[in-house]
Amino acid sequence: MTNSFENFLSNELKIIQQQNLLRQLHNRNEKPYYNFSSNDYLGLNHHPALKEAAIQALEDYGSGTGASRLICGHFKIHQQLEEALAQFKKTEAALTFSSGYATAVGAIPSLVGKEDVIILDKLCHACLIDAAKLSQAKLRIFKHNHLEQLESHLKWAQSHKKEKKSKILIITEAVFSMDGDWSLLKEIVTLKEKYGAWLFVDEAHSTGIFGKTRAGLCQHLNVNDHVEIQMGTLSKAIGVSGGYIAGSRSLIDFLINRARSFIFSTAVPATNAAAALASLRLISSAEGQHRCETLWQLVDQFKQGLVNNTLGQSPIFPIILGDSKKALTAAENLKAKGFWIPAIRYPTVPKNQARLRVTLSASHSSQTITELIETLNAII
């Protein structure tokens, strides 16, 4: 390697460190902590049913899949999972991807292109922003949940559509990953139908914990039939890894033929598919309902006990400290007390919006929540 290459890397890392933005990997087995950073909202990651399903799939299908599904085919368990996802989301079909990120960058650029318009909430996840940029569509950003600005962009896009016959795609999250608040889905549906747009909703942080059968915020707000593309992940409340799109049969057939991250990726291991299928069955059961109710009881307890009370619309609680160094110091103090809550800094959140992101799980005990409240109130 040349000296100029190493000098470039060294200088860039120094700049990152000076800005208190340096990130490092940590060994989770180093020391036991109370984990309040995980998105495992229902505490299913270590559930025996998921482990048993994965072990059986390992015996039946092996550790890998050999190639992409269009080259090598898929196992029956992959089909069963997608059928279960479609039934769970009340859509005609579903398609799984290797990750939530791969889902976004595969689906969005396949649906829209240079002559089209994407209108995206400013606080959308990086995978949605990257996918929008990758599509090369004309990109318009509206302030978070700002309906007037969204409508202004829609008016502009509609006039553009008349000239170019372009498509308009609105992209939002159901529950926003860093702030924990809801998208105004009912109002957005009204606007998208008024202006002839399509709606793409990322249900990553709402699947499993909202709605009558815990299918997500779209179900909870009764807008399921008005959302053209529902995206989700298997790595949060479902407790495994991977992503999916749920929608019409035509949408899924189209993505099979056009979504590059699906076409050119090796199929996810059968162990993942089997564990996710077991998780969906569990979420839909009485135990799933009990775990969800337990989670919301803990959310209420935490919301009531925290001095700096936050919105509490989800199990995600942002404690915004602003300065990155202040957030790092608070995280280290919590770590010393046995709580794993890392500092979230730019570019994950906007500049001067550094925070502690506390996430609750049904696997937490009420006593642990009480201890966390006391520790946070003393530190913050």
Side-chain angles (χ1 to χ4, degrees), residues 15-54:
I15 292 170
I16 295 171
Q17 189 165 30
Q18 288 166 1
Q19 296 171 335
N20 294 303
L21 298 177
L22 187 68
R23 288 156 168 78
Q24 295 174 307
L25 298 175
H26 298 275
N27 185 348
R28 288 172 65 171
N29 299 119
E30 179 185 12
K31 179 184 173 182
Y33 292 95
Y34 292 116
N35 187 357
F36 283 91
S37 67
S38 169
N39 299 315
D40 182 22
Y41 300 122
L42 295 178
L44 297 180
N45 180 251
H46 286 282
H47 195 285
L50 275 67
K51 291 181 180 180
E52 289 168 12

Side-chain angles (χ1 to χ4, degrees), residues 96-109 124-135 200 202 204-205 231-236 241-245 259-262 265 268:
T96 53
F97 293 74
S98 58
S99 69
Y101 194 99
T103 305
V105 299
I108 291 169
C124 277
H125 190 269
C127 70
L128 302 173
I129 296 168
D130 291 352
K133 291 178 178 178
L134 188 62
S135 75
F200 183 112
D202 181 1
H205 292 273
M231 172 182 155
T233 178
L234 305 174
S235 62
K236 300 193 171 44
S241 68
Y244 66 86
I245 294 288
R260 292 172 66 84
S261 61
F262 173 82
S265 292
V268 297

Side-chain angles (χ1 to χ4, degrees), residues 40 45 66 74 84 136 160 173 194 224 233 240 344 359 380:
D40 182 22
N45 180 251
H74 59 232
Q136 299 184 58
H160 180 81
E173 298 183 34
K194 178 179 178 181
N224 216 58
T233 178
V240 192
I344 307 295
T359 52
I380 305 303

Side-chain angles (χ1 to χ4, degrees), residues 81-125:
L81 172 60
E82 288 170 349
E83 289 172 351
L85 279 167
Q87 184 178 6
F88 181 62
K89 299 295 289 181
K90 298 293 186 289
T91 58
E92 291 178 357
L95 185 68
T96 53
F97 293 74
S98 58
S99 69
Y101 194 99
T103 305
V105 299
I108 291 169
S110 70
L111 291 164
V112 290
K114 285 183 180 180
E115 298 301 323
D116 303 318
V117 177
I118 289 177
I119 306 175
L120 182 138
D121 189 293
K122 187 175 183 178
L123 294 188
C124 277
H125 190 269

Side-chain angles (χ1 to χ4, degrees), residues 50-62:
L50 275 67
K51 291 181 180 180
E52 289 168 12
I55 291 168
Q56 187 60 56
L58 183 65
E59 292 289 337
D60 293 343
Y61 303 108

Side-chain angles (χ1 to χ4, degrees), residues 148-182:
E148 291 81 5
Q149 191 173 29
L150 170 58
E151 183 163 22
S152 175
H153 288 332
L154 282 166
K155 287 178 180 176
W156 174 86
Q158 191 180 56
S159 65
H160 180 81
K161 180 178 179 180
K162 288 176 183 176
E163 296 169 9
K164 302 286 187 178
K165 296 183 179 178
S166 59
K167 303 181 286 289
I168 306 169
L169 179 65
I170 302 170
I171 300 176
T172 188
E173 298 183 34
V175 172
F176 286 85
S177 60
M178 288 297 130
D179 289 79
D181 60 336
W182 299 3

Side-chain angles (χ1 to χ4, degrees), residues 97-368:
F97 293 74
S98 58
S99 69
Y101 194 99
T103 305
V105 299
I108 291 169
S110 70
L111 291 164
V112 290
K114 285 183 180 180
E115 298 301 323
D116 303 318
V117 177
I118 289 177
I119 306 175
L120 182 138
D121 189 293
K122 187 175 183 178
L123 294 188
C124 277
H125 190 269
C127 70
L128 302 173
I129 296 168
D130 291 352
K133 291 178 178 178
L134 188 62
S135 75
Q136 299 184 58
K138 292 172 179 62
L139 183 57
R140 294 290 183 271
I141 307 295
F142 63 98
K143 295 174 186 176
H144 178 51
N145 273 342
H146 197 297
L147 296 173
E148 291 81 5
Q149 191 173 29
L150 170 58
E151 183 163 22
S152 175
H153 288 332
L154 282 166
K155 287 178 180 176
W156 174 86
Q158 191 180 56
S159 65
H160 180 81
K161 180 178 179 180
K162 288 176 183 176
E163 296 169 9
K164 302 286 187 178
K165 296 183 179 178
S166 59
K167 303 181 286 289
I168 306 169
L169 179 65
I170 302 170
I171 300 176
T172 188
E173 298 183 34
V175 172
F176 286 85
S177 60
M178 288 297 130
D179 289 79
D181 60 336
W182 299 3
S183 174
L184 303 176
L185 287 181
K186 284 188 174 182
E187 293 84 350
I188 292 173
V189 163
T190 300
L191 286 174
K192 76 101 181 176
E193 293 183 348
K194 178 179 178 181
Y195 291 95
W198 300 342
L199 180 56
F200 183 112
V201 177
D202 181 1
E203 289 250 51
H205 292 273
S206 58
T207 300
I209 59 175
F210 288 95
K212 185 177 180 181
T213 61
R214 296 164 290 287
L217 194 64
C218 289
Q219 183 190 65
H220 181 70
L221 297 177
N222 197 30
V223 297
N224 216 58
D225 295 337
H226 301 278
V227 178
E228 282 78 12
I229 310 110
Q230 291 190 51
M231 172 182 155
T233 178
L234 305 174
S235 62
K236 300 193 171 44
I238 293 175
V240 192
S241 68
Y244 66 86
I245 294 288
S248 68
R249 181 72 257 174
S250 296
L251 169 64
I252 300 310
D253 289 343
F254 178 83
L255 293 178
I256 289 170
N257 285 275
R258 292 291 177 84
R260 292 172 66 84
S261 61
F262 173 82
I263 296 168
F264 297 107
S265 292
T266 297
V268 297
T271 49
N272 274 36
L277 180 58
S279 180
L280 283 176
R281 289 169 176 164
L282 200 151
I283 288 170
S284 300
S285 71
E287 181 182 345
Q289 182 177 349
H290 174 71
R291 282 176 176 263
C292 192
E293 289 170 354
T294 298
L295 172 65
W296 286 107
Q297 288 168 7
L298 296 175
V299 167
D300 287 341
Q301 178 187 348
F302 187 74
K303 184 169 61 175
Q304 296 302 320
L306 201 63
V307 169
N308 290 349
N309 203 336
T310 52
L311 196 59
Q313 285 188 298
S314 74
I316 303 167
F317 288 84
I319 300 173
I320 299 173
L321 302 175
D323 180 70
S324 293
K325 189 172 182 179
K326 186 183 287 188
L328 285 168
T329 300
E332 285 300 314
N333 289 337
L334 285 163
K335 191 176 175 182
K337 299 286 187 180
F339 296 99
W340 187 271
I341 307 172
I344 307 295
R345 297 158 289 157
Y346 178 82
T348 307
V349 294
K351 290 180 179 178
N352 302 316
Q353 290 286 303
R355 67 195 63 189
L356 300 172
R357 176 182 178 268
V358 180
T359 52
L360 306 187
S361 168
S363 61
H364 291 137
S365 71
S366 177
Q367 178 59 38
T368 306

